[in-house]
């Protein structure tokens, strides 16, 4: 295969696990495309692969968002859709995908200046929504999300070309040590962990409940954890965590009585739009990976030009 065709981030091939140095920038255009973050915050994101902004949304705003996701997860016209994923072994709602199109409030959240301009600044371009979801992680029943790199899945199963996307997690409930907060490996975004195993057809039907392919090997995970430690992103509701598409992350199950509800907005650069999935895989459904339109999202505070 000539060098032009070589996939920098090959994974789930016949090869054993491998650690591949990231070849893409973390922050594009030097963070000059928008001025949502101060330079120290941009530098922190570039170093760690994530950035926490505390108390971005007011208590009233968060309550409104939480009521909205609770409404959606109790609405049969939504829970009967493919967008709604239940927890393994129960009918408790685990995730609702494509919330930015199922809910006007979530559409506004996706385009909120406090979120979208951070994404535009870090990704150095206009952005569109690759995927949105509400992860409910209900008390007692919310199961874990094992360690993974989102980009590994989005590259192999969605044909995302490069590492020019990021997730923005809006905390709708307090995330504390007891209810399964998001855990991130600082610095892990700089290494791509190539995973073993060949992706089964329709993998998403299982992976969104419990991921079994695209799961990093324990030796690579141990190396990343020993290099940069593990950071649990505990914070009050209303805080926001931005993390790079390749930052290794996971979260434990929730055996506390308190839900750990977060909304995730995945912004992809309009310069990084999806190509066909790898290895002849069938494209995943639209509600998991946007393909129909890569039109940039319009920020709520955009001035309408005549
Ligand atoms: O496959 C995906 O796109 C989803 N899976 C996980 C575990 N994280 C990213 C995303 O929600
Ligand atoms: Fe993930």
């Amino acid at each position: 295969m000539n060098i032009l065709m070589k996939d920098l981030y090959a994974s789930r091939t016949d090869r054993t696990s491998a650690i591949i140095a990231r070849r893409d920038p973390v922050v594009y255009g030097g963070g000059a495309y928008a001025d949502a973050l101060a330079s120290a915050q941009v530098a922190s994101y570039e170093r760690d692969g994530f950035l926490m902004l505390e108390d971005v949304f007011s208590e009233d705003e968060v309550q409104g968002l939480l009521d909205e996701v609770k409404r959606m997860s109790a609405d049969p016209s939504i829970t009967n859709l493919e967008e709604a994923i239940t927890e393994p072994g129960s009918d408790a709602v685990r995730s609702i995908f494509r919330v930015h199109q199922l809910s006007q409030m979530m559409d506004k959240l996706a385009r909120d200046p406090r979120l979208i301009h951070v994404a535009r600044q870090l990704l150095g371009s206009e952005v569109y929504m690759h995927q949105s979801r509400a992860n409910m992680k209900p008390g007692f029943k919310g199961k874990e999300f094992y360690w993974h790199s989102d980009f590994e899945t989005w590259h192999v199963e969605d044909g995302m070309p490069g590492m020019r996307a990021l997730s923005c997690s809006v905390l709708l409930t307090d995330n504390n040590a007891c209810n399964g907060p998001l855990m991130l490996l600082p610095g892990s975004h700089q290494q791509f962990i190539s995973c073993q195993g060949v992706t089964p057809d329709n993998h998403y039907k299982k992976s969104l409940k419990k991921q079994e392919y695209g799961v990093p090997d324990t030796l690579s995970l141990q190396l990343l954890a020993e290099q940069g430690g593990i950071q649990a992103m505990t914070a009050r509701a209303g805080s926001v965590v931005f993390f790079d598409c390749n930052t290794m992350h996971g979260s434990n199950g929730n055996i506390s009585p308190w839900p750990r509800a977060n909304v995730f907005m995945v912004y992809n650069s309009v310069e990084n739009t999806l190509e066909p999935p790898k290895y002849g895989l069938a494209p995943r459904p639209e509600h998991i990976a946007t393909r129909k339109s890569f039109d940039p999202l319009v920020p709520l505070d955009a001035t309408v030009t005549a």
Side-chain angles (χ1 to χ4, degrees), residues 152-231:
E152 192 278 344
T153 290
W154 297 339
H155 183 65
V156 170
E157 297 192 56
D158 297 333
M160 182 181 282
M163 297 178 181
R164 194 171 180 178
L166 62 81
S167 291
C168 162
S169 173
V170 180
L171 279 59
L172 303 187
T173 59
D174 290 351
N175 280 219
N176 57 52
C178 311
N179 64 352
L182 177 68
M183 297 185 292
L184 298 165
L185 300 190
S188 61
H189 61 308
Q190 292 292 6
Q191 278 110 357
F192 177 76
I193 308 299
S194 179
C195 301
Q196 291 175 272
V198 178
T199 314
D201 292 341
N202 297 318
H203 177 226
Y204 70 93
K205 291 189 173 174
K206 276 194 162 181
S207 68
L208 299 180
K209 277 178 179 288
K210 185 175 172 46
Q211 188 167 359
E212 291 173 355
Y213 292 86
V215 174
D217 65 288
T218 51
L219 201 54
S220 301
L221 285 168
Q222 178 152 3
L223 183 142
L224 293 179
E226 282 171 6
Q227 276 180 342
I230 300 178
Q231 188 155 338

Side-chain angles (χ1 to χ4, degrees), residues 97 131 133 148 150 153-154 208 211 284:
F97 281 79
Q131 177 187 106
R133 67 193 183 278
H148 64 281
D150 291 337
T153 290
W154 297 339
L208 299 180
Q211 188 167 359
R284 298 202 297 173

Side-chain angles (χ1 to χ4, degrees), residues 107-133:
D107 164 58
K108 284 191 172 172
L109 181 67
R111 299 186 293 119
D112 189 297
R114 293 165 284 187
L115 305 184
I116 192 168
H117 292 318
V118 173
R120 292 173 65 247
Q121 179 173 7
L122 295 172
L123 301 178
S125 72
E126 293 310 310
V127 295
Y128 75 94
M129 192 62 63
H130 165 63
Q131 177 187 106
S132 70
R133 67 193 183 278

Side-chain angles (χ1 to χ4, degrees), residues 193-301:
I193 308 299
S194 179
C195 301
Q196 291 175 272
V198 178
T199 314
D201 292 341
N202 297 318
H203 177 226
Y204 70 93
K205 291 189 173 174
K206 276 194 162 181
S207 68
L208 299 180
K209 277 178 179 288
K210 185 175 172 46
Q211 188 167 359
E212 291 173 355
Y213 292 86
V215 174
D217 65 288
T218 51
L219 201 54
S220 301
L221 285 168
Q222 178 152 3
L223 183 142
L224 293 179
E226 282 171 6
Q227 276 180 342
I230 300 178
Q231 188 155 338
M233 306 312 285
T234 54
R236 283 182 296 277
S239 302
V240 181
V241 181
F242 294 89
F243 58 102
D244 178 82
C245 57
N246 188 48
T247 302
M248 193 63 69
H249 63 285
S251 59
N252 288 318
N254 182 9
I255 57 170
S256 85
W258 310 300
R260 190 229 69 184
N262 294 353
V263 172
F264 291 78
M265 299 290 177
V266 180
Y267 296 101
N268 189 22
S269 166
V270 293
E271 307 300 331
N272 191 44
T273 55
L274 300 191
E275 297 171 349
K278 298 296 178 189
Y279 322 126
L281 285 167
R284 298 202 297 173
E286 184 72 15
H287 65 272
I288 300 174
T290 299
R291 286 184 183 278
K292 280 189 187 141
S293 161
F294 299 130
D295 292 346
L297 285 169
V298 178
L300 289 180
D301 62 350

Side-chain angles (χ1 to χ4, degrees), residues 16-80:
T16 58
S17 306
I19 297 183
I20 299 158
R22 179 188 187 118
R23 304 285 289 273
D24 296 305
V26 176
V27 175
Y28 286 78
Y33 193 78
D35 60 357
L37 297 176
S39 53
Q41 291 174 306
V42 173
S44 170
Y45 176 88
E46 189 161 38
R47 181 194 64 228
D48 295 337
F50 60 86
L51 178 73
M52 159 87 84
L53 299 182
E54 302 208 59
D55 304 327
V56 172
F57 295 94
S58 70
E59 277 185 33
D60 287 350
E61 287 177 305
V62 175
Q63 194 54 56
L65 293 166
L66 181 60
D67 290 346
E68 177 70 350
V69 295
K70 283 180 174 175
R71 176 193 68 78
M72 294 170 79
S73 54
D75 177 353
S77 71
I78 291 181
T79 56
N80 289 334

